[in-house]
Amino acid sequence: MSLTSADFIAIEQKLGARNYKPLDVVLTRGEGVYVWDVEGNRYLDCLSAYSAVNQGHCHPRIFNAMVEQARKLTLTSRAFRNDQLALFYEELAELTGAHKVLPMNSGAEAVETAIKAVRKWGYEVKGVPEGKAEIIVAANNFHGRTLGIVGFSTDPEARGGFGPFAPGFRTVPFGDAAALATAITPNTVAFLVEPIQGEAGVLIPPPGYFREVRRLCTAHGVTLILDEIQTGLGRTGKFLAEEHEGIEADVTLIGKALSGGFYPVSAVLSNSEVLGVLKPGQHGSTFGGNPLACAIARMAVRVLHEEGMIENATVMGARFKSGLQSMRSNLVKDVRGRGLMLAVELIPEAGGARPVCEALQAQGILAKDTHGDTIRFAPPLVITADQVDWALERIENVLTSGTAVH
Ligand SMILES: *Cc1c(COP(=O)(O)O)cnc(C)c1O
């Protein structure tokens, strides 16, 4: 006897912590841009697990790399060395110009790692008085869900009820370089920011913002930490989104698609002395840098390049975006994004993005609402022109039929 979607949902409702409100679709299989539910319905995935499956679901070459490595060796801990870690370092360093790499598992751990390292760098290298290090962050940031990170979130939902929080963070508006200049003090060790704010609704800062940010950070000895956990790995049409801005961060955080969705793998990439301050015993992770993770990540990065996915994100992103922009719907307030990181913001009278996502689900498209009125469209980077056009037709149906308006 096989369980239906309703059965699975009932069990989840009864036993699971309710920290998510997923669409009521129970998926069982994925391939490329498609996923299937337990009833056999097919959907075009327009979320890609928040950009963790940029390479498409169950990519065969990443799968093979995973299975091959799993047969040989999965976990050694960092108490011993393994023959995958060095190659993981070498390939990432060559690709990004990083001088030092530190592997972790989740994105939030990479963020926490960078915070630890940059504070220590502040005391030992910059000469900030002990306990006084300040990190500047952007309003409406999303850097993960750990206690350290939600303490500097500006989203009441993310932080409410979870205090007390760690001190040492200051917030400035995103996209406002003048505000950053004002907030920097002699004790500022870092500015931590996303190149494009994904969770906040795919917000792109004004042109020239990051050049000015880079200039200010250099001038004041402030480490620029770019959180590319969502924007990296080809999502915006470049391997790293910083390439669009013509700048280089001092520390770059990657995760999500670093494993193509097979396994949690994240990394801190450091172009400066920041990671150099960590000495044995001062940071670690049982699973970070394990041979299985490294083998998966090496192949996940390789297929992005070898299979033209990054260029495809540019071409298909432009097609998808112009299709969204030319829709004749009076519900749409704004269409924005870069590469295949796109969003449609609805007018407030549209009745919210969630009902639209439910209507899209009925049409065979899975997308996610964010911040009430915005729907994100971020399909795997292997999407074809026919698939983009297919999606656009259905999105237009939903946005012009009025079904979403209650
Ligand atoms: C998803 C995300 C994180 C957190 O990654 P987890 O793997 O969920 O811990 C951090 N920063 C950004 C920009 C993200 O999109």
Side-chain angles (χ1 to χ4, degrees):
M1 189 199 78
S2 58
L3 300 179
T4 65
S5 290
D7 299 327
F8 287 109
I9 292 165
I11 297 169
E12 281 196 21
Q13 296 283 56
K14 180 159 173 270
L15 297 176
R18 307 258 180 108
N19 56 327
Y20 277 93
K21 188 170 177 271
L23 286 180
D24 282 335
V25 58
V26 181
L27 302 173
T28 185
R29 188 162 74 84
E31 189 186 324
V33 297
Y34 295 118
V35 287
W36 285 263
D37 68 16
V38 291
E39 275 80 27
N41 301 304
R42 190 188 75 174
Y43 304 89
L44 181 70
D45 183 358
C46 280
L47 183 64
S48 307
Y50 299 93
S51 295
V53 286
N54 286 357
Q55 297 87 340
H57 287 276
C58 300
H59 191 288
R61 289 173 70 198
I62 309 174
F63 169 80
N64 285 337
M66 178 176 190
V67 170
E68 210 176 289
Q69 185 60 41
R71 277 203 191 95
K72 283 166 49 184
L73 186 65
T74 58
L75 182 63
T76 55
S77 86
R78 297 286 304 279
F80 312 118
R81 301 185 192 269
N82 72 69
D83 68 358
Q84 288 294 315
L85 183 58
L87 303 177
F88 169 79
Y89 286 161
E90 197 170 55
E91 288 164 15
L92 276 182
E94 192 176 327
L95 198 59
T96 63
H99 298 157
K100 290 240 173 270
V101 184
L102 196 159
M104 293 296 283
N105 311 285
S106 69
E109 284 176 307
V111 176
E112 294 272 356
T113 302
I115 291 170
K116 280 178 69 177
V118 82
R119 281 179 168 178
K120 199 157 192 295
W121 170 85
Y123 302 129
E124 293 182 2
V125 180
K126 186 169 177 173
V128 172
E130 186 60 34
K132 298 284 186 222
E134 289 172 359
I135 295 173
I136 301 174
V137 298
N140 302 314
N141 65 72
F142 182 85
H143 297 290
R145 298 295 198 169
T146 58
L147 203 47
I149 292 170
V150 299
F152 58 82
S153 169
T154 56
D155 177 1
E157 207 72 75
R159 57 183 277 126
F162 301 123
F165 300 115
F169 297 95
R170 262 173 196 248
T171 309
V172 296
F174 182 63
D176 184 345
L180 175 65
T182 308
I184 291 173
T185 75
N187 293 340
T188 305
V189 295
F191 179 44
L192 166 63
V193 64
E194 300 153 82
I196 295 172
Q197 289 191 321
E199 300 301 306
V202 188
L203 305 183
I204 298 179
Y209 171 65
F210 274 106
R211 275 181 198 278
E212 183 59 10
V213 165
R214 178 66 275 180
R215 194 191 65 74
L216 286 167
C217 288
T218 304
H220 296 277
V222 170
T223 300
L224 174 58
I225 307 174
L226 281 185
D227 179 346
E228 296 244 22
I229 292 166
Q230 192 165 143
T231 53
L233 285 297
R235 173 51 60 189
T236 70
K238 301 279 186 194
F239 183 72
L240 294 175
E242 68 170 23
E243 297 167 49
H244 292 290
E245 311 290 348
I247 60 154
E248 271 184 43
D250 301 302
V251 173
T252 302
L253 312 176
I254 55 176
K256 292 204 165 112
L258 184 54
S259 72
F262 280 82
Y263 197 85
V265 188
S266 65
V268 179
L269 308 172
S270 167
N271 277 341
S272 64
E273 324 98 326
V274 174
L275 281 179
V277 302
L278 295 177
K279 302 201 177 51
Q282 295 175 346
H283 192 62
S285 159
T286 303
F287 279 84
N290 74 72
L292 185 60
C294 292
I296 291 169
R298 292 177 60 209
M299 187 56 83
V301 170
R302 182 181 299 181
V303 301
L304 276 176
H305 287 99
E306 288 184 357
E307 299 181 19
M309 294 180 193
I310 303 174
E311 301 78 57
N312 197 54
T314 301
V315 177
M316 292 304 141
R319 188 182 188 98
F320 207 142
K321 188 174 173 185
S322 72
L324 291 171
Q325 282 167 333
S326 61
M327 275 178 192
R328 293 175 313 273
S329 167
N330 49 17
L331 299 180
V332 176
K333 182 177 161 197
D334 189 28
V335 172
R336 54 182 176 261
R338 189 169 278 163
L340 278 168
M341 186 172 185
L342 300 169
V344 171
E345 184 177 343
L346 305 175
I347 56 169
E349 302 76 40
R354 173 85 184 193
V356 173
C357 289
E358 287 164 1
L360 287 170
Q361 178 190 343
Q363 297 274 323
I365 293 177
L366 295 183
K368 176 70 173 75
D369 51 298
T370 181
H371 281 247
D373 294 323
T374 301
I375 311 159
R376 244 185 305 193
F377 291 102
L381 311 186
V382 297
I383 196 166
T384 64
D386 283 349
Q387 290 164 340
V388 168
D389 296 346
W390 183 93
L392 285 169
E393 207 175 295
R394 273 144 195 88
I395 295 166
E396 181 153 34
N397 283 345
V398 167
L399 288 178
T400 54
S401 71
T403 49
V405 183
H406 295 293

